[in-house]
Amino acid sequence: MENIYPKISVVIPSFNQGSFIEETILSIINQKYPNLELIIIDALSTDSTLKIIKKYFNKINYFVSEKDNGQAHALNKGFKMASGQICSYLNSDDTYIDNILWKIAEQYKKNKFKWIYTDVLFGNSIKNSTYFERRISSFEEFCAIQTIAQQGVFWENNSLKKPWFDENLMYVMDHKFFINLYKNFGKPNYLNITGAFFRIHGNSKTSKFEKILFDERKKIGLEYAELSDNKYQKNKIKLEIKRLDLKIKMHKTYSDMLACKKLTIKIKFFLEMLIIFIKSPFKKRDLFFFGYLKKSIKLLVM
C-alpha cells in the first residue's frame, strides 16, 4: 500500500511546547497515512516536551534534541533528512485536520503539483477559531505580505535546492521560501478544504513579536524588488510594501483607540486614521482602510 501513495515528510520544529505538542503529533499519526515520514527537531526543551515525544518513538522516523540556531536552522536540519516526495512542516502548537494527508496525496497523484495550499483555521482553540481563507495574490503583493497560511502548504521535495530556509530570519523564513517557490513555479494549486489549525496563544511567536515579523517581511519584499530586472515589477512590489505599512499603521491606531476610554483621545486617534485613509493611494480598491474607519466611527458613537 505504501507504493500506491506518495511518501509525505512532515517536520515538527520543537521547543518547550509541552502543552500542545502531543496534540500536534496525534493530529499527524492518527490520520493513519500509510507512507508517512515524521521528523521532529527539538532545541533542548526543558518542559514536558521530551517526555511526550518519547511516548511516540515508534511512530517517529527521525528525532534529535540539540541546541540549534533558531527555527529556520531546525527546519533545514529536518528537511535534510526528509526523503518523501511531498514535504510540509507543522509547528509544535499547531495541528492538521483529519484526512488532510490523504487528500494532499490524492491531489499529487492526479496532478504532480510543485506546491499546493489549503484553507486554515486560526484561534486559541478549534472551537473558537476563524477561517483563514485568503487567496493567493499577485507575485508583487505576495512579496509584501504572505497571503496564505504556512500550516496548509505542501510542496514537492525536489522543487528547489536545499537548504530551503534563510537562517538569518527569525519569523518569516516560510514567507521567503514561498516567494522562491512562487518565483520559480508560479501560483500554487489551491485545494478548497480546511487543512490545518493555526493556534494563536500568548507564547506563540506571531502573538509576541508582531512588529519584528512585519519588519522582516518588509525587508525581504524590498530585497526581491531590488533583484527584479522588471521596472514595473520593482515599483509594484515597493507600492505593495507601502500599502502594508499603511495597513499596519491603521491597525495600530485602531487598537490604541479601542483601548482608550477618553472621548477626546479617541477623536485624536480617529483623526489620525482619517489622515492615513486620505493619504492612501489604495482606498479605491481596498476595503481594508474603509472598514477600519467604519469601525472607528462606531467606537466614537458608543
Side-chain angles (χ1 to χ4, degrees), residues 149-191:
Q150 160 266 314
Q151 294 79 1
V153 182
F154 295 78
W155 60 92
E156 196 174 46
N157 195 350
N158 63 0
S159 56
L160 293 174
K161 186 179 178 181
K162 297 177 184 179
W164 289 329
F165 297 93
D166 186 341
E167 295 178 17
N168 294 312
L169 296 171
M170 294 177 66
Y171 304 105
V172 297
M173 69 293 295
D174 56 337
H175 186 195
K176 185 170 183 178
F177 174 58
F178 296 155
I179 291 174
N180 285 333
L181 286 173
Y182 199 149
K183 184 179 179 182
N184 283 276
F185 305 112
K187 287 185 178 182
N189 292 21
Y190 169 60
L191 184 57

mmCIF file of all heavy atoms in Angstrom, residues 149-191:
data_model
loop_
_atom_site.group_PDB
_atom_site.id
_atom_site.type_symbol
_atom_site.label_atom_id
_atom_site.label_comp_id
_atom_site.label_asym_id
_atom_site.label_seq_id
_atom_site.Cartn_x
_atom_site.Cartn_y
_atom_site.Cartn_z
ATOM 1 N N ALA A 149 -1.576 30.656 4.659
ATOM 2 C CA ALA A 149 -1.066 30.219 5.963
ATOM 3 C C ALA A 149 -0.137 29.024 5.790
ATOM 4 O O ALA A 149 -0.479 28.047 5.123
ATOM 5 C CB ALA A 149 -2.227 29.863 6.883
ATOM 6 N N GLN A 150 1.026 29.090 6.412
ATOM 7 C CA GLN A 150 2.067 28.062 6.280
ATOM 8 C C GLN A 150 1.566 26.663 6.624
ATOM 9 O O GLN A 150 1.960 25.672 6.005
ATOM 10 C CB GLN A 150 3.256 28.450 7.175
ATOM 11 C CG GLN A 150 4.205 27.323 7.539
ATOM 12 C CD GLN A 150 3.858 26.682 8.871
ATOM 13 O OE1 GLN A 150 3.604 27.372 9.853
ATOM 14 N NE2 GLN A 150 3.846 25.357 8.924
ATOM 15 N N GLN A 151 0.679 26.555 7.608
ATOM 16 C CA GLN A 151 0.223 25.245 8.078
ATOM 17 C C GLN A 151 -0.502 24.453 6.993
ATOM 18 O O GLN A 151 -0.571 23.227 7.065
ATOM 19 C CB GLN A 151 -0.704 25.415 9.288
ATOM 20 C CG GLN A 151 -0.035 25.971 10.522
ATOM 21 C CD GLN A 151 0.158 27.479 10.487
ATOM 22 O OE1 GLN A 151 -0.225 28.160 9.535
ATOM 23 N NE2 GLN A 151 0.754 28.018 11.525
ATOM 24 N N GLY A 152 -1.035 25.148 5.990
ATOM 25 C CA GLY A 152 -1.780 24.473 4.937
ATOM 26 C C GLY A 152 -1.014 24.323 3.638
ATOM 27 O O GLY A 152 -1.611 24.011 2.608
ATOM 28 N N VAL A 153 0.311 24.521 3.673
ATOM 29 C CA VAL A 153 1.115 24.476 2.446
ATOM 30 C C VAL A 153 1.919 23.173 2.376
ATOM 31 O O VAL A 153 2.557 22.767 3.349
ATOM 32 C CB VAL A 153 2.073 25.686 2.364
ATOM 33 C CG1 VAL A 153 2.873 25.642 1.060
ATOM 34 C CG2 VAL A 153 1.291 26.996 2.456
ATOM 35 N N PHE A 154 1.891 22.540 1.203
ATOM 36 C CA PHE A 154 2.673 21.332 0.920
ATOM 37 C C PHE A 154 3.419 21.559 -0.389
ATOM 38 O O PHE A 154 2.916 22.242 -1.283
ATOM 39 C CB PHE A 154 1.756 20.111 0.783
ATOM 40 C CG PHE A 154 1.024 19.745 2.048
ATOM 41 C CD1 PHE A 154 -0.097 20.466 2.447
ATOM 42 C CD2 PHE A 154 1.451 18.686 2.830
ATOM 43 C CE1 PHE A 154 -0.784 20.140 3.613
ATOM 44 C CE2 PHE A 154 0.766 18.349 4.002
ATOM 45 C CZ PHE A 154 -0.344 19.078 4.393
ATOM 46 N N TRP A 155 4.610 20.978 -0.528
ATOM 47 C CA TRP A 155 5.384 21.191 -1.747
ATOM 48 C C TRP A 155 6.177 19.934 -2.101
ATOM 49 O O TRP A 155 6.408 19.059 -1.266
ATOM 50 C CB TRP A 155 6.320 22.393 -1.599
ATOM 51 C CG TRP A 155 7.325 22.263 -0.491
ATOM 52 C CD1 TRP A 155 8.588 21.760 -0.569
ATOM 53 C CD2 TRP A 155 7.132 22.631 0.889
ATOM 54 N NE1 TRP A 155 9.203 21.791 0.659
ATOM 55 C CE2 TRP A 155 8.336 22.323 1.572
ATOM 56 C CE3 TRP A 155 6.068 23.196 1.603
ATOM 57 C CZ2 TRP A 155 8.497 22.555 2.935
ATOM 58 C CZ3 TRP A 155 6.227 23.425 2.962
ATOM 59 C CH2 TRP A 155 7.427 23.107 3.614
ATOM 60 N N GLU A 156 6.599 19.873 -3.354
ATOM 61 C CA GLU A 156 7.370 18.735 -3.835
ATOM 62 C C GLU A 156 8.797 18.824 -3.311
ATOM 63 O O GLU A 156 9.407 19.899 -3.323
ATOM 64 C CB GLU A 156 7.357 18.719 -5.364
ATOM 65 C CG GLU A 156 7.796 17.405 -5.968
ATOM 66 C CD GLU A 156 7.637 17.391 -7.482
ATOM 67 O OE1 GLU A 156 8.034 18.371 -8.137
ATOM 68 O OE2 GLU A 156 7.109 16.393 -7.999
ATOM 69 N N ASN A 157 9.334 17.702 -2.880
ATOM 70 C CA ASN A 157 10.643 17.683 -2.221
ATOM 71 C C ASN A 157 11.763 18.198 -3.123
ATOM 72 O O ASN A 157 12.672 18.891 -2.669
ATOM 73 C CB ASN A 157 10.969 16.257 -1.750
ATOM 74 C CG ASN A 157 12.116 16.225 -0.748
ATOM 75 O OD1 ASN A 157 12.798 17.218 -0.516
ATOM 76 N ND2 ASN A 157 12.333 15.076 -0.142
ATOM 77 N N ASN A 158 11.705 17.871 -4.402
ATOM 78 C CA ASN A 158 12.801 18.258 -5.301
ATOM 79 C C ASN A 158 12.546 19.589 -5.998
ATOM 80 O O ASN A 158 13.140 19.890 -7.028
ATOM 81 C CB ASN A 158 13.050 17.157 -6.345
ATOM 82 C CG ASN A 158 11.845 16.942 -7.248
ATOM 83 O OD1 ASN A 158 10.821 17.605 -7.105
ATOM 84 N ND2 ASN A 158 11.963 16.012 -8.182
ATOM 85 N N SER A 159 11.653 20.401 -5.431
ATOM 86 C CA SER A 159 11.267 21.650 -6.092
ATOM 87 C C SER A 159 12.417 22.652 -6.171
ATOM 88 O O SER A 159 12.652 23.267 -7.204
ATOM 89 C CB SER A 159 10.071 22.285 -5.375
ATOM 90 O OG SER A 159 10.369 22.485 -4.005
ATOM 91 N N LEU A 160 13.131 22.844 -5.074
ATOM 92 C CA LEU A 160 14.232 23.805 -5.026
ATOM 93 C C LEU A 160 15.436 23.185 -4.325
ATOM 94 O O LEU A 160 15.299 22.270 -3.513
ATOM 95 C CB LEU A 160 13.810 25.072 -4.268
ATOM 96 C CG LEU A 160 12.732 25.959 -4.901
ATOM 97 C CD1 LEU A 160 12.346 27.066 -3.936
ATOM 98 C CD2 LEU A 160 13.197 26.544 -6.220
ATOM 99 N N LYS A 161 16.593 23.726 -4.607
ATOM 100 C CA LYS A 161 17.820 23.248 -3.974
ATOM 101 C C LYS A 161 17.801 23.565 -2.475
ATOM 102 O O LYS A 161 17.394 24.638 -2.054
ATOM 103 C CB LYS A 161 19.035 23.917 -4.634
ATOM 104 C CG LYS A 161 20.374 23.390 -4.145
ATOM 105 C CD LYS A 161 21.523 24.080 -4.875
ATOM 106 C CE LYS A 161 22.870 23.588 -4.345
ATOM 107 N NZ LYS A 161 24.004 24.266 -5.028
ATOM 108 N N LYS A 162 18.234 22.608 -1.663
ATOM 109 C CA LYS A 162 18.306 22.813 -0.215
ATOM 110 C C LYS A 162 19.643 23.457 0.151
ATOM 111 O O LYS A 162 20.604 23.320 -0.594
ATOM 112 C CB LYS A 162 18.152 21.469 0.511
ATOM 113 C CG LYS A 162 16.801 20.806 0.274
ATOM 114 C CD LYS A 162 16.722 19.451 0.964
ATOM 115 C CE LYS A 162 15.411 18.748 0.650
ATOM 116 N NZ LYS A 162 15.313 17.416 1.277
ATOM 117 N N PRO A 163 19.732 24.158 1.316
ATOM 118 C CA PRO A 163 18.695 24.377 2.328
ATOM 119 C C PRO A 163 17.651 25.387 1.855
ATOM 120 O O PRO A 163 17.962 26.326 1.129
ATOM 121 C CB PRO A 163 19.480 24.907 3.533
ATOM 122 C CG PRO A 163 20.680 25.576 2.938
ATOM 123 C CD PRO A 163 21.023 24.771 1.722
ATOM 124 N N TRP A 164 16.425 25.180 2.293
ATOM 125 C CA TRP A 164 15.305 25.986 1.822
ATOM 126 C C TRP A 164 15.094 27.269 2.611
ATOM 127 O O TRP A 164 14.608 28.255 2.072
ATOM 128 C CB TRP A 164 14.018 25.159 1.905
ATOM 129 C CG TRP A 164 13.932 24.058 0.906
ATOM 130 C CD1 TRP A 164 14.476 24.039 -0.351
ATOM 131 C CD2 TRP A 164 13.253 22.809 1.056
ATOM 132 N NE1 TRP A 164 14.170 22.864 -0.991
ATOM 133 C CE2 TRP A 164 13.417 22.083 -0.149
ATOM 134 C CE3 TRP A 164 12.509 22.229 2.082
ATOM 135 C CZ2 TRP A 164 12.871 20.819 -0.351
ATOM 136 C CZ3 TRP A 164 11.967 20.974 1.886
ATOM 137 C CH2 TRP A 164 12.148 20.277 0.687
ATOM 138 N N PHE A 165 15.436 27.265 3.898
ATOM 139 C CA PHE A 165 15.019 28.357 4.781
ATOM 140 C C PHE A 165 16.198 29.247 5.176
ATOM 141 O O PHE A 165 17.260 28.757 5.559
ATOM 142 C CB PHE A 165 14.323 27.790 6.023
ATOM 143 C CG PHE A 165 13.060 27.048 5.688
ATOM 144 C CD1 PHE A 165 13.080 25.672 5.481
ATOM 145 C CD2 PHE A 165 11.862 27.724 5.529
ATOM 146 C CE1 PHE A 165 11.924 24.982 5.144
ATOM 147 C CE2 PHE A 165 10.701 27.047 5.188
ATOM 148 C CZ PHE A 165 10.733 25.673 4.993
ATOM 149 N N ASP A 166 15.987 30.552 5.074
ATOM 150 C CA ASP A 166 17.010 31.548 5.377
ATOM 151 C C ASP A 166 17.207 31.628 6.893
ATOM 152 O O ASP A 166 16.322 32.091 7.620
ATOM 153 C CB ASP A 166 16.571 32.910 4.819
ATOM 154 C CG ASP A 166 17.643 33.980 4.955
ATOM 155 O OD1 ASP A 166 18.569 33.815 5.771
ATOM 156 O OD2 ASP A 166 17.540 35.006 4.248
ATOM 157 N N GLU A 167 18.376 31.210 7.364
ATOM 158 C CA GLU A 167 18.632 31.151 8.802
ATOM 159 C C GLU A 167 18.934 32.509 9.420
ATOM 160 O O GLU A 167 19.115 32.618 10.634
ATOM 161 C CB GLU A 167 19.756 30.145 9.081
ATOM 162 C CG GLU A 167 19.344 28.723 8.725
ATOM 163 C CD GLU A 167 20.435 27.683 8.936
ATOM 164 O OE1 GLU A 167 21.414 27.983 9.664
ATOM 165 O OE2 GLU A 167 20.306 26.574 8.375
ATOM 166 N N ASN A 168 18.979 33.553 8.602
ATOM 167 C CA ASN A 168 19.125 34.911 9.126
ATOM 168 C C ASN A 168 17.783 35.511 9.533
ATOM 169 O O ASN A 168 17.739 36.594 10.126
ATOM 170 C CB ASN A 168 19.784 35.816 8.079
ATOM 171 C CG ASN A 168 21.216 35.409 7.787
ATOM 172 O OD1 ASN A 168 22.001 35.196 8.711
ATOM 173 N ND2 ASN A 168 21.561 35.279 6.518
ATOM 174 N N LEU A 169 16.699 34.819 9.184
ATOM 175 C CA LEU A 169 15.360 35.295 9.525
ATOM 176 C C LEU A 169 14.838 34.534 10.736
ATOM 177 O O LEU A 169 14.983 33.317 10.820
ATOM 178 C CB LEU A 169 14.405 35.105 8.343
ATOM 179 C CG LEU A 169 14.727 35.917 7.085
ATOM 180 C CD1 LEU A 169 13.850 35.473 5.923
ATOM 181 C CD2 LEU A 169 14.546 37.410 7.340
ATOM 182 N N MET A 170 14.201 35.250 11.642
ATOM 183 C CA MET A 170 13.677 34.617 12.852
ATOM 184 C C MET A 170 12.212 34.220 12.720
ATOM 185 O O MET A 170 11.757 33.279 13.357
ATOM 186 C CB MET A 170 13.830 35.562 14.048
ATOM 187 C CG MET A 170 15.262 35.838 14.445
ATOM 188 S SD MET A 170 15.372 37.023 15.809
ATOM 189 C CE MET A 170 14.621 36.089 17.144
ATOM 190 N N TYR A 171 11.445 34.947 11.888
ATOM 191 C CA TYR A 171 9.995 34.771 11.904
ATOM 192 C C TYR A 171 9.354 34.520 10.546
ATOM 193 O O TYR A 171 8.304 33.908 10.476
ATOM 194 C CB TYR A 171 9.328 35.995 12.553
ATOM 195 C CG TYR A 171 9.865 36.249 13.927
ATOM 196 C CD1 TYR A 171 10.747 37.292 14.169
ATOM 197 C CD2 TYR A 171 9.536 35.412 14.983
ATOM 198 C CE1 TYR A 171 11.273 37.502 15.433
ATOM 199 C CE2 TYR A 171 10.060 35.611 16.246
ATOM 200 C CZ TYR A 171 10.929 36.659 16.468
ATOM 201 O OH TYR A 171 11.457 36.853 17.712
ATOM 202 N N VAL A 172 9.936 34.997 9.454
ATOM 203 C CA VAL A 172 9.257 34.871 8.158
ATOM 204 C C VAL A 172 10.085 34.051 7.166
ATOM 205 O O VAL A 172 10.047 34.284 5.962
ATOM 206 C CB VAL A 172 8.891 36.258 7.573
ATOM 207 C CG1 VAL A 172 7.903 36.968 8.470
ATOM 208 C CG2 VAL A 172 10.125 37.112 7.350
ATOM 209 N N MET A 173 10.816 33.079 7.699
ATOM 210 C CA MET A 173 11.589 32.195 6.820
ATOM 211 C C MET A 173 10.671 31.418 5.880
ATOM 212 O O MET A 173 11.036 31.120 4.743
ATOM 213 C CB MET A 173 12.460 31.236 7.640
ATOM 214 C CG MET A 173 11.746 30.157 8.428
ATOM 215 S SD MET A 173 10.726 30.721 9.799
ATOM 216 C CE MET A 173 11.952 31.405 10.882
ATOM 217 N N ASP A 174 9.454 31.110 6.339
ATOM 218 C CA ASP A 174 8.497 30.410 5.483
ATOM 219 C C ASP A 174 8.051 31.307 4.330
ATOM 220 O O ASP A 174 7.940 30.861 3.185
ATOM 221 C CB ASP A 174 7.292 29.930 6.297
ATOM 222 C CG ASP A 174 6.594 31.043 7.059
ATOM 223 O OD1 ASP A 174 7.226 32.082 7.345
ATOM 224 O OD2 ASP A 174 5.402 30.875 7.388
ATOM 225 N N HIS A 175 7.815 32.582 4.624
ATOM 226 C CA HIS A 175 7.389 33.529 3.591
ATOM 227 C C HIS A 175 8.438 33.631 2.482
ATOM 228 O O HIS A 175 8.116 33.570 1.289
ATOM 229 C CB HIS A 175 7.141 34.899 4.230
ATOM 230 C CG HIS A 175 6.570 35.914 3.292
ATOM 231 N ND1 HIS A 175 6.548 37.255 3.569
ATOM 232 C CD2 HIS A 175 6.014 35.790 2.065
ATOM 233 C CE1 HIS A 175 5.998 37.908 2.559
ATOM 234 N NE2 HIS A 175 5.665 37.045 1.638
ATOM 235 N N LYS A 176 9.703 33.751 2.867
ATOM 236 C CA LYS A 176 10.761 33.865 1.856
ATOM 237 C C LYS A 176 10.845 32.594 1.013
ATOM 238 O O LYS A 176 11.020 32.656 -0.214
ATOM 239 C CB LYS A 176 12.109 34.151 2.516
ATOM 240 C CG LYS A 176 13.218 34.410 1.500
ATOM 241 C CD LYS A 176 14.486 34.928 2.142
ATOM 242 C CE LYS A 176 15.531 35.242 1.072
ATOM 243 N NZ LYS A 176 16.772 35.787 1.655
ATOM 244 N N PHE A 177 10.706 31.439 1.651
ATOM 245 C CA PHE A 177 10.726 30.175 0.910
ATOM 246 C C PHE A 177 9.558 30.103 -0.070
ATOM 247 O O PHE A 177 9.715 29.695 -1.224
ATOM 248 C CB PHE A 177 10.686 29.005 1.891
ATOM 249 C CG PHE A 177 10.551 27.660 1.233
ATOM 250 C CD1 PHE A 177 11.488 27.221 0.313
ATOM 251 C CD2 PHE A 177 9.478 26.828 1.532
ATOM 252 C CE1 PHE A 177 11.364 25.973 -0.308
ATOM 253 C CE2 PHE A 177 9.346 25.588 0.928
ATOM 254 C CZ PHE A 177 10.287 25.162 0.004
ATOM 255 N N PHE A 178 8.373 30.535 0.371
ATOM 256 C CA PHE A 178 7.202 30.506 -0.510
ATOM 257 C C PHE A 178 7.361 31.498 -1.673
ATOM 258 O O PHE A 178 6.904 31.225 -2.785
ATOM 259 C CB PHE A 178 5.929 30.816 0.275
ATOM 260 C CG PHE A 178 5.589 29.785 1.329
ATOM 261 C CD1 PHE A 178 4.819 30.131 2.432
ATOM 262 C CD2 PHE A 178 6.038 28.480 1.222
ATOM 263 C CE1 PHE A 178 4.506 29.189 3.403
ATOM 264 C CE2 PHE A 178 5.735 27.530 2.190
ATOM 265 C CZ PHE A 178 4.962 27.888 3.282
ATOM 266 N N ILE A 179 8.006 32.641 -1.416
ATOM 267 C CA ILE A 179 8.282 33.584 -2.510
ATOM 268 C C ILE A 179 9.165 32.909 -3.559
ATOM 269 O O ILE A 179 8.947 33.047 -4.768
ATOM 270 C CB ILE A 179 8.958 34.870 -1.983
ATOM 271 C CG1 ILE A 179 7.981 35.691 -1.136
ATOM 272 C CG2 ILE A 179 9.459 35.731 -3.149
ATOM 273 C CD1 ILE A 179 8.618 36.902 -0.455
ATOM 274 N N ASN A 180 10.162 32.152 -3.100
ATOM 275 C CA ASN A 180 11.041 31.440 -4.035
ATOM 276 C C ASN A 180 10.277 30.394 -4.842
ATOM 277 O O ASN A 180 10.523 30.213 -6.044
ATOM 278 C CB ASN A 180 12.199 30.786 -3.275
ATOM 279 C CG ASN A 180 13.240 31.792 -2.830
ATOM 280 O OD1 ASN A 180 13.406 32.838 -3.456
ATOM 281 N ND2 ASN A 180 13.940 31.501 -1.746
ATOM 282 N N LEU A 181 9.348 29.692 -4.179
ATOM 283 C CA LEU A 181 8.512 28.733 -4.906
ATOM 284 C C LEU A 181 7.667 29.452 -5.954
ATOM 285 O O LEU A 181 7.559 29.002 -7.102
ATOM 286 C CB LEU A 181 7.602 27.975 -3.932
ATOM 287 C CG LEU A 181 8.252 26.908 -3.050
ATOM 288 C CD1 LEU A 181 7.249 26.373 -2.036
ATOM 289 C CD2 LEU A 181 8.801 25.754 -3.888
ATOM 290 N N TYR A 182 7.069 30.569 -5.563
ATOM 291 C CA TYR A 182 6.223 31.358 -6.471
ATOM 292 C C TYR A 182 7.051 31.861 -7.656
ATOM 293 O O TYR A 182 6.628 31.775 -8.820
ATOM 294 C CB TYR A 182 5.622 32.526 -5.686
ATOM 295 C CG TYR A 182 4.406 33.188 -6.300
ATOM 296 C CD1 TYR A 182 3.433 33.753 -5.480
ATOM 297 C CD2 TYR A 182 4.226 33.278 -7.674
ATOM 298 C CE1 TYR A 182 2.309 34.376 -6.015
ATOM 299 C CE2 TYR A 182 3.109 33.907 -8.213
ATOM 300 C CZ TYR A 182 2.164 34.452 -7.387
ATOM 301 O OH TYR A 182 1.055 35.068 -7.918
ATOM 302 N N LYS A 183 8.231 32.380 -7.354
ATOM 303 C CA LYS A 183 9.100 32.935 -8.399
ATOM 304 C C LYS A 183 9.492 31.873 -9.423
ATOM 305 O O LYS A 183 9.569 32.147 -10.627
ATOM 306 C CB LYS A 183 10.354 33.533 -7.752
ATOM 307 C CG LYS A 183 11.291 34.231 -8.733
ATOM 308 C CD LYS A 183 12.491 34.810 -8.000
ATOM 309 C CE LYS A 183 13.446 35.481 -8.982
ATOM 310 N NZ LYS A 183 14.647 36.013 -8.286
ATOM 311 N N ASN A 184 9.736 30.651 -8.950
ATOM 312 C CA ASN A 184 10.206 29.582 -9.833
ATOM 313 C C ASN A 184 9.084 28.795 -10.506
ATOM 314 O O ASN A 184 9.264 28.300 -11.622
ATOM 315 C CB ASN A 184 11.098 28.616 -9.047
ATOM 316 C CG ASN A 184 12.485 29.175 -8.807
ATOM 317 O OD1 ASN A 184 13.363 29.066 -9.651
ATOM 318 N ND2 ASN A 184 12.683 29.810 -7.654
ATOM 319 N N PHE A 185 7.929 28.676 -9.835
ATOM 320 C CA PHE A 185 6.880 27.787 -10.348
ATOM 321 C C PHE A 185 5.517 28.450 -10.510
ATOM 322 O O PHE A 185 4.553 27.799 -10.895
ATOM 323 C CB PHE A 185 6.740 26.561 -9.430
ATOM 324 C CG PHE A 185 8.032 25.828 -9.222
ATOM 325 C CD1 PHE A 185 8.651 25.834 -7.980
ATOM 326 C CD2 PHE A 185 8.649 25.169 -10.268
ATOM 327 C CE1 PHE A 185 9.853 25.177 -7.781
ATOM 328 C CE2 PHE A 185 9.852 24.504 -10.084
ATOM 329 C CZ PHE A 185 10.459 24.511 -8.841
ATOM 330 N N GLY A 186 5.428 29.747 -10.209
ATOM 331 C CA GLY A 186 4.152 30.430 -10.340
ATOM 332 C C GLY A 186 3.225 30.147 -9.167
ATOM 333 O O GLY A 186 3.632 29.600 -8.142
ATOM 334 N N LYS A 187 1.966 30.515 -9.334
ATOM 335 C CA LYS A 187 0.989 30.344 -8.258
ATOM 336 C C LYS A 187 0.846 28.875 -7.874
ATOM 337 O O LYS A 187 0.903 27.997 -8.739
ATOM 338 C CB LYS A 187 -0.381 30.873 -8.691
ATOM 339 C CG LYS A 187 -0.488 32.379 -8.759
ATOM 340 C CD LYS A 187 -1.915 32.789 -9.087
ATOM 341 C CE LYS A 187 -2.057 34.304 -9.122
ATOM 342 N NZ LYS A 187 -3.453 34.713 -9.383
ATOM 343 N N PRO A 188 0.629 28.603 -6.582
ATOM 344 C CA PRO A 188 0.403 27.213 -6.168
ATOM 345 C C PRO A 188 -0.989 26.741 -6.551
ATOM 346 O O PRO A 188 -1.882 27.548 -6.806
ATOM 347 C CB PRO A 188 0.538 27.287 -4.638
ATOM 348 C CG PRO A 188 0.083 28.674 -4.302
ATOM 349 C CD PRO A 188 0.566 29.541 -5.443
ATOM 350 N N ASN A 189 -1.165 25.431 -6.597
ATOM 351 C CA ASN A 189 -2.508 24.868 -6.718
ATOM 352 C C ASN A 189 -3.274 25.188 -5.436
ATOM 353 O O ASN A 189 -2.677 25.351 -4.371
ATOM 354 C CB ASN A 189 -2.444 23.356 -6.907
ATOM 355 C CG ASN A 189 -1.840 22.960 -8.239
ATOM 356 O OD1 ASN A 189 -1.136 23.741 -8.861
ATOM 357 N ND2 ASN A 189 -2.100 21.746 -8.677
ATOM 358 N N TYR A 190 -4.590 25.244 -5.562
ATOM 359 C CA TYR A 190 -5.424 25.502 -4.383
ATOM 360 C C TYR A 190 -6.383 24.343 -4.182
ATOM 361 O O TYR A 190 -7.098 23.944 -5.103
ATOM 362 C CB TYR A 190 -6.204 26.805 -4.559
ATOM 363 C CG TYR A 190 -7.284 27.006 -3.516
ATOM 364 C CD1 TYR A 190 -6.969 27.077 -2.160
ATOM 365 C CD2 TYR A 190 -8.624 27.110 -3.891
ATOM 366 C CE1 TYR A 190 -7.956 27.250 -1.203
ATOM 367 C CE2 TYR A 190 -9.618 27.293 -2.939
ATOM 368 C CZ TYR A 190 -9.282 27.357 -1.598
ATOM 369 O OH TYR A 190 -10.259 27.525 -0.652
ATOM 370 N N LEU A 191 -6.387 23.782 -2.969
ATOM 371 C CA LEU A 191 -7.314 22.717 -2.608
ATOM 372 C C LEU A 191 -8.357 23.312 -1.667
ATOM 373 O O LEU A 191 -8.028 23.748 -0.558
ATOM 374 C CB LEU A 191 -6.561 21.569 -1.931
ATOM 375 C CG LEU A 191 -7.367 20.322 -1.565
ATOM 376 C CD1 LEU A 191 -8.054 19.733 -2.792
ATOM 377 C CD2 LEU A 191 -6.461 19.281 -0.909
#
